[in-house]
Amino acid sequence: MMPKPAPLYERQKARLDAFTRAGYNFDPDRLTDYTAATGWRVDDYETELPPEAPGPPEPRGSWAAACEVLSRYSFPPPGLISGIFLPDQPLSQRVMVLRAQFLGVSFWFGVRIGRVTDETRALPDGGGPEQVWGYNYRTLEGHFERGQIEFIVHKNCTTGRVWCHIHAVSQTGRIRNPFYWLGFKLFGRRLQVRFSQQSLKRLRQQVERMLREGWQAPAADGPAVQPVSAHEDAQAQLDKNRK
């Protein structure tokens, strides 16, 4: 019998170690200065998820399922982006290696979780409280982009509405290779939009599947979740360290 291959997070240990030591390629403390007027792209995307009954999030409802999908990072389209990370690392300290498919070539980038959000907020229109959970990650040195993207799942506790919101602030980073610089200039924006739109579509599909199939974890259909779901000990650590 052939031995089981090592999980991806072990095979990518050198990259994970390098990105753990890497710094950001932008200044997170200046996020409020990064606007369209100063040359940054500010994007917002949203998708509706199956509603729940009014009140706090249900233990195995739509909101909790979306939190699970976000935590596993199983929602990005694997043909564009796959994420690899250590399952025993708390989410608030997570560093990820992102494998991006671009111009027929695989590129390896690093990102780090900047903040985990888990709180009850007052809705801006005074319509009652909402429960929110999610996180942002920030680009590290060597990334083709610089900036931050945030994934947050919301529940309106008064109406039962559940939705997921993506907020991104980005700018093209320093790309030394002129071929890649030109390709990213021509196609990078299209890939950005496609990533967010397809990620929300896949998240909604995975949430609906979890609700329909009795809370089964998202399918391991790409490297994003494969290193965890293929190893029981790693899966247990991921479940333990979601927050």
Side-chain angles (χ1 to χ4, degrees):
M1 180 182 295
M2 294 291 292
K4 183 180 293 186
L8 284 176
Y9 64 85
E10 290 184 2
R11 284 180 272 161
Q12 294 297 327
K13 184 178 184 303
R15 283 193 173 98
L16 282 167
D17 288 345
F19 285 129
T20 297
R21 298 187 297 270
Y24 295 123
N25 62 356
F26 73 109
D27 185 354
D29 293 333
R30 296 185 57 201
L31 273 171
T32 56
D33 299 330
Y34 300 152
T35 64
T38 58
W40 290 73
R41 289 194 177 99
V42 181
D43 294 311
D44 289 278
Y45 303 88
E46 198 168 280
T47 190
E48 295 291 322
L49 298 172
E52 298 182 3
E58 300 168 10
R60 290 203 168 192
S62 177
W63 186 89
C67 294
E68 184 76 8
V69 172
L70 286 182
S71 177
R72 293 170 182 270
Y73 201 69
S74 60
F75 56 93
L80 289 179
I81 295 287
S82 299
I84 302 166
F85 54 89
L86 297 175
D88 61 350
Q89 199 167 44
L91 177 59
S92 61
Q93 301 171 24
R94 182 183 295 176
V95 173
M96 287 198 293
V97 172
L98 300 184
R99 186 182 71 175
Q101 309 292 325
F102 179 61
L103 298 176
V105 181
S106 290
F107 296 91
W108 303 88
F109 302 125
V111 297
R112 181 181 295 121
I113 301 297
R115 181 191 176 197
V116 177
T117 298
D118 185 8
E119 61 190 22
T120 302
R121 297 175 180 170
L123 286 164
D125 59 2
E130 65 170 353
Q131 191 69 36
V132 297
W133 187 91
Y135 57 86
N136 64 52
Y137 63 65
R138 297 163 175 173
T139 55
L140 300 176
E141 295 167 347
H143 204 297
F144 279 6
E145 292 181 307
R146 42 191 210 128
Q148 174 179 290
I149 186 167
E150 182 178 53
F151 310 93
I152 299 287
V153 58
H154 303 249
K155 178 180 178 181
N156 184 318
C157 298
T158 300
T159 66
R161 179 192 175 211
V162 181
W163 71 99
C164 185
H165 187 93
I166 292 178
H167 177 72
V169 178
S170 65
Q171 188 181 70
T172 301
R174 185 176 182 184
I175 305 174
R176 293 185 174 89
N177 185 305
F179 174 74
Y180 296 148
W181 177 86
L182 178 61
F184 197 78
K185 183 176 179 63
L186 294 174
F187 303 109
R189 179 57 177 167
R190 189 184 309 169
L191 294 173
Q192 269 188 329
V193 174
R194 185 180 170 196
F195 167 79
S196 293
Q197 291 177 340
Q198 290 194 9
S199 290
L200 287 177
K201 179 180 179 181
R202 281 173 53 85
L203 181 140
R204 184 175 64 250
Q205 291 172 340
Q206 290 183 15
V207 167
E208 291 171 346
R209 187 161 67 244
M210 287 181 69
L211 298 177
R212 184 173 63 248
E213 297 179 1
W215 202 258
Q216 294 297 312
D221 56 358
V225 294
Q226 194 174 52
V228 173
S229 62
H231 294 259
E232 293 180 2
D233 292 343
Q235 179 59 63
Q237 286 288 348
L238 178 59
D239 293 339
K240 179 181 177 182
N241 290 296
R242 198 190 79 179
K243 294 183 180 181

